[in-house]
Amino acid sequence: MSSRNNPNRIKIHRSYTVMDVSETLGVHPKTVRNWIHAGLSVIDETRPLLIQGTDLKLYLKQKRKAYMHQCESNEMYCFKCKQPKAPGIQTLQFVAMPAGMAQMRARCDECGKRANKFVSWRDVNQIWTELGGKLPIAQKHLILRGQKPLNYPLSEVFDDEKNQY
Ligand SMILES: [Zn+2]
């Protein structure tokens, strides 16, 4: 395991500025800003931006899992087929997770085995449409569990869905 990007270096009870994260993890500040852009939570309305250690640690761990298998964004690694496969869109669900992430759950379109992976909420609409889904995503495909996904206009989604009936 590389020592760069190592979530174990992050203390969960402190807050970090972009520069703190950069120094602690040995990554470029631009990389940290990219993570924020990709869904890493920041504490609202503070300048400079502050990131909670607990959010950062979770984000890095989930990011590692997401890249464990090299799949296209709309594919999932099927442990039965032993390769990246398209998920069956009818079985697809996005479960809200902390730190702006979502767990993507589905069954393999070919063999039916369950698979899941972590994605950013920002990518949910794109993945859905790449798989042939129409927007807005129906509510049954989005599992919130009290989490408030960052930067995802869920109220619009749900309102649009209501408007269709
Ligand atoms: Zn399969």
Side-chain angles (χ1 to χ4, degrees):
M1 187 185 280
S2 148
S3 64
R4 273 164 62 92
N5 253 358
N6 187 343
N8 296 329
R9 290 193 181 180
I10 300 296
K11 294 184 173 61
I12 59 171
H13 294 300
R14 67 164 281 201
S15 306
Y16 294 82
T17 63
V18 169
M19 284 312 293
D20 291 338
V21 176
S22 164
E23 282 163 20
T24 307
L25 297 177
V27 299
H28 198 277
K30 206 172 167 183
T31 304
V32 182
R33 290 195 198 96
N34 287 342
W35 293 344
I36 294 169
H37 188 70
L40 169 62
S41 296
V42 294
I43 301 170
D44 282 338
E45 291 166 15
T46 59
R47 291 290 180 278
L49 286 177
L50 283 178
I51 300 152
Q52 275 171 348
T54 177
D55 287 340
L56 180 58
K57 201 163 181 147
L58 194 68
Y59 181 79
L60 292 175
K61 281 188 177 170
Q62 291 179 343
K63 200 168 147 65
R64 283 206 164 175
K65 277 193 199 166
Y67 288 101
M68 197 167 67
H69 299 290
Q70 294 293 319
C71 294
E72 296 296 323
S73 64
N74 60 0
E75 290 177 332
M76 299 170 86
Y77 187 84
C78 176
F79 283 96
K80 197 168 170 192
C81 298
K82 294 191 166 47
Q83 53 181 295
K85 287 287 180 190
I89 191 164
Q90 289 308 321
T91 67
L92 184 57
Q93 289 185 316
F94 295 100
V95 185
M97 303 295 285
M101 302 296 285
Q103 187 188 37
M104 180 174 165
R105 288 181 181 167
R107 289 180 181 275
C108 171
D109 209 20
E110 199 159 309
C111 73
K113 185 165 177 63
R114 283 177 194 278
N116 61 68
K117 73 172 185 178
F118 285 98
V119 298
S120 167
W121 267 106
R122 286 170 188 269
D123 299 331
V124 162
N125 278 349
Q126 192 190 334
I127 293 168
W128 181 256
T129 53
E130 281 174 4
L131 290 168
K134 290 202 171 70
L135 292 174
I137 304 174
Q139 194 166 352
K140 65 180 176 181
H141 294 287
L142 301 172
I143 311 296
L144 301 188
R145 284 184 174 167
Q147 293 288 338
K148 208 172 126 200
L150 286 179
N151 307 306
Y152 192 81
L154 284 168
S155 56
E156 277 174 41
V157 168
F158 294 161
D159 287 347
D160 283 358
E161 195 187 359
K162 276 181 226 143
N163 293 341
Q164 288 175 354
Y165 301 105

